[in-house]
């Protein structure tokens, strides 16, 4: 349930209610909006409602959250969320964030070359996998910590933020040491222990939608992270499995308005994994921005033919530069910047 405080509620009255919630054995989540302050009380249904808090001074109303997800819901927080990265980049603001880079970190030289190019074109994040979730155990699995080091060094040199995947609870500490943002991959969207661990880490997190997950399941996964106190979460639509075989996945652009109405969290779209083909990436990136996405992720490689992974969907740096110029126009047309 959420406890809505009156506009005139004093800090003492707020503290009084917060204390009462704690006394009942629940963790209060305070959300201070421009208009009102609300306290989210999450716990076992029924148990929380025993005590009526409506009579407390300063309380305007106590309303149950009907949605299965609570902290991520618009009911809990009406205003759209944004958060600040280490370099001041705002995720979820007017400016759309662009994450670009290779699928896998293959070596330092290629990473540096690509990073310089994507930075020049206006990207704010360098993406690249050091721990790779591959369908086959015989495919390239990533450089591990060596890859993380390259990401950090190159991003610092060029002036980008690092977003990279963490696949396992045992890797959270090491990935968090090098990265600015943790990526939870599609295959791990329902790895609940990993979600909890990333929640505890409080690191900005990009939560990709599972290959065959509904929006509801995806938002419940985000709820795991928020429930551990980490509100710095961005959702990523990266395509889902359908009967269609013409493309690698079906990019579900419906998810943008659905997510926007259901939750306050920002959403990014990844047309690279969403389509699986470099020549389809541009049209879908433009559509994503026009549809209200807060960010896009695009795979860029200097030599896609020889890429260790996902070459077919990777843009050459010069193609990425051309696309960014077009995306600037689209962003402007819908009141955003890039
Ligand atoms: C990736 O970003 O390279 C990746 C593996 O993505 P996904 O988890 O969406 O397949
Ligand atoms: Mn990839």
């Amino acid at each position: 349930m959420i406890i809505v405080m009156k506009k005139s509620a004093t800090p003492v009255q707020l503290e009084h209610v917060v204390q009462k919630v704690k006394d009942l054995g629940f963790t209060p989540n305070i959300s201070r909006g421009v208009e009102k302050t609300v306290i989210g009380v999450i716990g076992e249904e029924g148990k929380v409602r025993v005590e009526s808090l409506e009579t407390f001074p300063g309380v305007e109303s106590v309303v149950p959250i009907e949605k299965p997800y609570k902290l991520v819901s618009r009911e809990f927080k009406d205003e759209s969320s944004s958060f600040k990265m280490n370099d001041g980049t705002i995720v979820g603001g007017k400016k759309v964030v662009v994450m670009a880079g290779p699928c896998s970190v293959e070596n330092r030289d290629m990473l540096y070359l690509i990073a310089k190019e994507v930075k020049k074109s206006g990207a704010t994040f360098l993406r690249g996998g050091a721990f790779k979730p591959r369908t086959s155990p015989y495919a390239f699995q990533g450089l591990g910590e060596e890859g993380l080091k390259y990401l950090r060094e190159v991003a610092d040199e060029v002036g980008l933020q690092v977003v990279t995947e963490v696949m396992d609870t045992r890797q959270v500490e090491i990935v968090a040491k090098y990265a600015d943002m943790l990526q939870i991959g599609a295959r791990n969207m329902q790895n609940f222990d990993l979600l909890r661990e990333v929640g505890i880490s409080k690191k900005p997190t990009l939560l990709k939608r599972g290959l065959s997950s509904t929006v509801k399941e995806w938002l419940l996964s985000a709820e795991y992270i928020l429930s551990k106190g980490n509100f710095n979460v961005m959702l990523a639509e990266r395509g889902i499995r359908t009967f269609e075989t013409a493309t690698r996945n079906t990019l579900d652009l419906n998810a943008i308005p659905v997510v926007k109405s259901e939750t306050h969290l920002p959403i990014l779209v990844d047309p690279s994994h969403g389509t699986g083909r470099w020549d389809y990436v541009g049209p879908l990136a433009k559509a994503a921005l026009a549809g209200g996405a807060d960010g896009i992720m695009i795979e860029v490689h200097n030599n896609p033919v020889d890429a260790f992974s996902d070459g077919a969907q990777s843009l050459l740096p010069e193609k990425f530069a051309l696309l960014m110029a077009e995306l600037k126009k689209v962003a402007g047309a819908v009141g955003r910047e890039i």
Side-chain angles (χ1 to χ4, degrees):
M1 66 181 174
I2 53 173
I3 304 166
V4 184
M5 299 302 290
K6 285 182 182 151
K7 232 177 157 174
S8 60
T10 65
V12 174
Q13 288 172 337
L14 177 68
E15 185 44 41
H16 190 198
V17 179
V18 165
Q19 194 51 53
K20 184 70 200 167
V21 169
K22 286 184 186 160
D23 291 348
L24 288 167
F26 298 101
T27 310
N29 290 278
I30 303 170
S31 164
R32 289 173 213 273
V34 180
E35 283 294 309
K36 277 170 192 162
T37 296
V38 304
I39 309 166
V41 185
I42 313 302
E44 248 175 80
E45 293 298 320
K47 228 171 141 190
V48 195
R49 286 171 206 181
V50 183
E51 196 84 11
S52 170
L53 289 149
E54 243 155 5
T55 54
F56 274 60
V59 171
E60 185 175 282
S61 57
V62 179
V63 269
I65 302 180
E66 306 290 351
K67 294 280 158 57
Y69 31 85
K70 313 288 180 190
L71 298 173
V72 306
S73 72
R74 280 260 182 217
E75 287 173 281
F76 171 64
K77 188 167 178 279
D78 198 29
E79 289 159 47
S80 294
S81 286
S82 62
F83 54 90
K84 212 186 237 181
M85 300 297 299
N86 291 329
D87 68 348
T89 297
I90 307 279
V91 175
K94 186 177 179 191
K95 196 165 186 281
V96 170
V97 293
V98 178
M99 307 185 183
C103 178
S104 301
V105 177
E106 298 171 14
N107 57 62
R108 197 185 193 283
D109 289 348
M110 62 84 80
L111 191 66
Y112 182 68
L113 197 150
I114 297 166
K116 252 190 357 193
E117 294 290 335
V118 300
K119 167 77 183 184
K120 203 165 66 188
S121 301
T124 36
F125 284 79
L126 176 62
R127 64 138 290 139
F131 294 101
K132 294 302 302 176
R134 305 304 302 279
T135 303
S136 164
Y138 308 116
F140 178 62
Q141 304 286 309
L143 295 180
E145 187 172 2
E146 188 190 347
L148 295 176
K149 281 188 185 147
Y150 295 155
L151 279 164
R152 184 71 272 152
E153 285 169 16
V154 166
D156 285 345
E157 228 166 293
V158 172
L160 290 164
Q161 294 282 283
V162 171
V163 56
T164 194
E165 180 159 356
V166 55
M167 287 172 58
D168 191 288
T169 52
R170 292 164 295 185
Q171 293 164 356
V172 173
E173 206 179 320
I174 186 111
V175 178
K177 185 175 136 195
Y178 293 100
D180 299 295
M181 182 182 269
L182 305 176
Q183 175 174 319
I184 303 223
R187 290 153 194 83
N188 265 317
M189 190 205 83
Q190 286 189 315
N191 181 339
F192 301 117
D193 283 338
L194 181 60
L195 297 171
R196 278 193 206 96
E197 210 55 46
V198 161
I200 292 165
S201 83
K202 305 279 199 296
K203 270 270 179 182
T205 298
L206 184 69
L207 177 63
K208 286 199 155 193
R209 180 179 180 179
L211 281 76
S212 305
S213 298
T214 62
V215 171
K216 184 173 158 185
E217 288 161 344
W218 186 19
L219 297 185
L220 280 165
S221 289
E223 185 80 14
Y224 268 90
I225 304 174
L226 270 73
S227 72
K228 288 292 173 194
N230 185 358
F231 278 65
N232 301 331
V233 174
M234 181 179 222
L235 299 163
E237 163 61 40
R238 47 78 71 208
I240 49 172
R241 288 211 164 152
T242 67
F243 54 82
E244 183 55 71
T245 54
T247 47
R248 180 179 180 182
N249 290 294
T250 298
L251 189 65
D252 180 17
L253 292 182
N254 291 359
I256 305 171
V258 173
V259 157
K260 289 273 170 205
S261 73
E262 289 294 303
T263 158
H264 52 86
L265 297 176
I267 179 169
L268 168 145
V269 171
D270 169 357
S272 302
H273 294 89
T275 62
R277 275 187 54 162
W278 71 269
D279 50 338
Y280 297 164
V281 168
L284 273 303
K286 286 183 243 177
L289 283 200
D294 302 296
I296 48 166
M297 172 176 266
I298 295 180
E299 286 187 337
V300 177
H301 200 287
N302 56 317
N303 183 13
V305 180
D306 292 324
F308 289 5
S309 57
D310 288 351
Q313 66 194 35
S314 299
L315 290 186
L316 282 163
E318 48 270 33
K319 288 263 187 321
F320 176 70
L322 291 174
L323 175 60
M324 284 294 278
E326 290 185 285
L327 291 177
K328 278 194 177 84
K329 289 188 226 156
V330 177
V334 293
R336 305 292 290 262
E337 288 165 15
I338 200 162

